[in-house]
Amino acid sequence: MATINAELALKAAHSGNLEYFHHYEKTIQGGCHFNDFLSITHKKSGDSLLHIATRNGHLELLQYLYEHSGNLEIANFDGKRPIHEAAQYNQLKCLQYLLDNGAAVDCLKRADWTPLMLACTKKDVEIVKLLLKYGSNPALVNKDGWNSVHIACREDSIDIIQLLLESDSRMIDVRSKNGRTALHTAALNGCMNTVNYILQHSCLSVNEKDSCGTTPLMDAMRMGHLEIAKILIESYQADILVSDNEGRQAIHVASQTGQLEAIRCLIDKYNIDVNTATYSTGITSLHIAAKEGQCETVKLLLSYGADVSKTDCKSRTALDIARGARKQDCIEILVGQGPRNDHID
């Protein structure tokens, strides 16, 4: 009787060693059957031999395994099927084979991701074209409310964005469940081409807010995408003084993440007051930088005249907040900078 070695079978699938499976098939005796191979899965991922063969582009092995099993819809622990693997790893020939043999084109893995959504993360136009040819629906949304267009926008894939929008141009205006738009995604991820494309081809306003009140400009400043921020302000008239739900403006979010060049630009180029406070809590950029332990930002703000004596709605100075957050380096910078309160949060 042939003995199945799961580890060897998984390795054979990974390398595309079809001879290993042919040899096993010839030596089957007694109670062992080839179908026993089809129950083998990776312990951590739940990947079957079909998943592994597809992911690695081993078309002949994929064909062989399918001919013996007749099952292309086997799912791993993440809900992924072989077609997800083909789409995500740009295996065009395997994808064609799966679709030709009836694999479900819009099956969902965990978090409701379709093969098309995964393909849009990889910028492979031919994979996207093939999925669309077989009826994949780019308007489907995942659990967060993103459709395939949003995902392509994150990758700055203009060719794919245009291809997806051929079926319905309104998809670019769809909001996620937390109110975020494709423009937010493009700005946050530094996708200059996509930012321009969206603002030229959609109904979205440059000052769109998500459910937290965040604008695309704030996202660009938060991540230090200064050139995108400048385009939003100078070419599309983004409101640099708009506030989110907590009253924070662009200078506050830039200070939170320590974006020094963005802060310099806001103050030097756009004349933003370094001591601008949020309307909800009265905190300034100096308060925020101190709380986050952004020492270089604290130094920069002080060089621009940040007022160390300015208090928030709880009468706390930046030093008080640094002490409460136990940001020792910031405490040392702020000590001796001028009059202050000594409340500890």
Side-chain angles (χ1 to χ4, degrees):
M1 181 185 300
T3 302
I4 299 174
N5 186 311
E7 184 177 353
L8 289 178
L10 291 168
K11 287 182 178 179
H14 184 80
S15 63
N17 185 359
L18 189 55
E19 284 303 312
Y20 173 84
F21 295 94
H22 283 316
H23 175 74
Y24 174 80
E25 191 173 13
K26 293 175 183 177
T27 58
I28 291 176
Q29 297 179 26
C32 275
H33 190 273
F34 184 85
N35 283 340
D36 294 336
F37 264 122
L38 304 177
S39 65
I40 292 174
T41 57
H42 191 278
K43 290 182 180 179
K44 292 185 178 180
S45 66
D47 286 339
S48 69
L49 301 179
L50 280 159
H51 287 88
I52 296 170
T54 303
R55 181 188 309 137
N56 290 282
H58 300 312
L59 179 58
E60 290 186 2
L61 180 55
L62 170 60
Q63 293 170 329
Y64 180 77
L65 293 169
Y66 172 60
E67 288 168 2
H68 282 78
S69 71
N71 180 14
L72 295 179
E73 305 303 333
I74 186 170
N76 66 11
F77 296 154
D78 199 34
K80 293 175 73 176
R81 305 182 196 186
I83 191 173
H84 286 102
E85 302 289 351
Q88 183 174 0
Y89 292 94
N90 301 341
Q91 301 297 351
L92 186 62
K93 292 181 179 179
C94 289
L95 179 61
Q96 182 74 66
Y97 178 80
L98 293 167
L99 291 167
D100 286 344
N101 284 277
V105 69
D106 279 332
C107 55
L108 303 178
K109 78 173 192 70
R110 186 178 299 173
D112 296 340
W113 278 62
T114 66
L116 181 60
M117 291 175 187
L118 291 173
C120 288
T121 69
K122 299 299 182 179
K123 304 182 182 182
D124 191 318
V125 175
E126 295 306 312
I127 292 285
V128 171
K129 282 183 179 178
L130 185 58
L131 289 166
L132 292 173
K133 177 182 176 182
Y134 279 78
S136 184
N137 182 2
L140 292 176
V141 296
N142 63 19
K143 72 176 184 63
D144 296 316
W146 294 117
N147 60 34
S148 295
V149 175
H150 296 122
I151 296 165
C153 287
R154 186 184 69 187
E155 304 301 327
D156 212 17
S157 302
I158 300 297
D159 289 346
I160 291 179
I161 294 168
Q162 292 173 326
L163 189 62
L164 295 170
L165 291 175
E166 287 178 3
S167 61
D168 185 354
S169 61
R170 294 171 299 177
M171 285 188 292
I172 202 167
D173 298 324
V174 172
R175 291 178 176 272
S176 69
K177 290 185 178 178
N178 60 357
R180 291 180 64 76
T181 67
L183 185 57
H184 285 91
T185 297
L188 183 70
N189 288 279
C191 303
M192 176 73 79
N193 293 332
T194 301
V195 166
N196 279 309
Y197 182 88
I198 293 171
L199 289 170
Q200 292 168 12
H201 294 86
S202 83
C203 296
L204 295 174
S205 163
V206 70
N207 294 314
E208 295 284 351
K209 289 187 174 185
D210 66 13
S211 59
C212 295
T214 299
T215 66
L217 175 61
M218 291 177 188
D219 277 336
M221 287 293 188
R222 176 179 289 109
M223 301 306 295
H225 299 311
L226 193 51
E227 291 308 309
I228 288 181
K230 289 178 180 178
I231 288 292
L232 292 172
I233 296 167
E234 297 171 13
S235 298
Y236 298 102
Q237 291 73 55
D239 186 351
I240 203 167
L241 297 177
V242 70
S243 298
D244 66 12
N245 295 353
E246 295 182 12
R248 296 177 300 184
Q249 298 179 9
I251 192 169
H252 299 118
V253 298
S255 298
Q256 183 179 25
T257 55
Q259 302 299 340
L260 303 183
E261 290 305 311
I263 295 168
R264 289 190 183 97
C265 180
L266 287 166
I267 297 173
D268 291 336
K269 187 176 180 65
Y270 301 115
N271 300 314
I272 299 301
D273 183 357
V274 70
N275 290 308
T276 297
T278 64
Y279 63 75
S280 58
T281 58
I283 61 174
T284 67
S285 294
L286 188 62
H287 288 94
I288 292 172
K291 179 180 179 180
E292 298 298 327
Q294 299 286 0
C295 295
E296 294 305 312
T297 303
V298 168
K299 291 178 184 178
L300 179 63
L301 293 169
L302 289 171
S303 74
Y304 275 108
D307 185 355
V308 294
S309 66
K310 197 170 181 65
T311 58
D312 66 4
C313 64
K314 296 181 180 179
S315 300
R316 299 174 301 178
T317 65
L319 178 57
D320 297 329
I321 288 177
R323 285 173 170 166
R326 299 181 180 180
K327 303 298 182 182
Q328 188 59 40
D329 290 343
C330 287
I331 292 171
E332 292 175 5
I333 295 169
L334 290 164
V335 167
Q337 290 295 317
R340 62 186 183 276
N341 293 329
D342 290 318
H343 304 288
I344 297 177
D345 188 14

